Amino acid sequence: SPEKGLDKAIEIAQRAGMPLKVAAKVDKADEEYFKTVIEPLLATPGVEFIGEIGYPEKNAFLGEAAALLFPIDWPEPFGLVMIEAMACGVPVIAFPRGSVPEVVDNGVTGCVVADVTAAVTALKDIAKFDRAQCRDRFEERFTVERMTRDYLDLYERLAGADPESLSL
């Protein structure tokens, strides 16, 4: 879809002189956009459209990537693919829309960049990121264990709280 920014990702990779592999599903609602805007760009040298992938292919696909480009142009509520990349030790380069600034730990798990030019610069410097640190930060912030621990802490606080303070 237009808001996912694939056209910008192709431009970023091309300007950085890096290949781009695209794993994506084309929804019925986006077929016309894909055919008229994206399909012609797929002929760009170094761009390979893989199509939709699932597990375990996704882990290998992401794990072998230099980076995940996430140049979205909408208020992404979470961006699961960002944490999937981090789980594989892959840094993320993303525009600061929606949850991106909350999910990407700028300078640690990737770069939050303002535009295509900044993304090109970040991509050229992507080797400076410590992939193990990306994975470690994922472990600290996004695992099921972390989420469960946070919920249990919250429930314990609520259970011990004054009922008057729990009003909605």
Side-chain angles (χ1 to χ4, degrees):
S1 63
E3 50 278 339
K4 293 291 185 176
L6 180 52
D7 55 336
K8 290 179 181 72
I10 292 169
E11 180 184 355
I12 292 163
Q14 186 175 33
R15 286 178 52 189
M18 293 186 73
L20 178 69
K21 291 187 180 184
V22 180
K25 174 183 177 183
V26 180
D27 288 326
K28 197 83 162 147
D30 298 315
E31 284 179 354
E32 184 63 27
Y33 169 77
F34 182 80
K35 285 184 188 307
T36 59
V37 177
I38 298 301
E39 216 166 58
L41 295 174
L42 297 178
T44 302
V47 177
E48 181 181 357
F49 185 75
I50 307 295
E52 186 176 12
I53 59 174
Y55 291 101
E57 298 86 9
K58 188 184 283 188
N59 290 342
F61 182 80
L62 287 170
E64 294 170 4
L68 172 75
L69 293 178
F70 201 71
I72 59 168
D73 193 21
W74 74 294
E76 175 74 58
F78 185 68
L80 184 61
V81 71
M82 291 187 291
I83 67 166
E84 290 174 330
M86 289 181 234
C88 294
V90 175
V92 175
I93 297 173
F95 289 178
R97 312 283 194 280
S99 65
V100 167
E102 296 171 54
V103 174
V104 178
D105 192 354
N106 199 32
V108 178
T109 60
C111 295
V112 179
V113 296
D115 55 30
V116 168
T117 300
V120 170
T121 300
L123 187 54
K124 287 181 178 180
D125 293 336
I126 204 66
K128 74 178 184 178
F129 285 91
D130 181 338
R131 293 172 73 96
Q133 193 173 24
C134 286
R135 172 63 191 194
D136 290 346
R137 193 58 63 100
F138 162 81
E139 292 281 340
E140 292 169 13
R141 298 183 63 208
F142 299 111
T143 61
V144 171
E145 292 79 9
R146 163 71 193 272
M147 182 185 71
T148 303
R149 204 171 43 247
D150 288 353
Y151 275 120
L152 289 173
D153 289 347
L154 175 62
Y155 295 150
E156 287 175 6
R157 283 198 319 271
L158 291 173
D162 174 20
E164 296 294 317
S165 69
L166 299 178
S167 64
L168 298 174

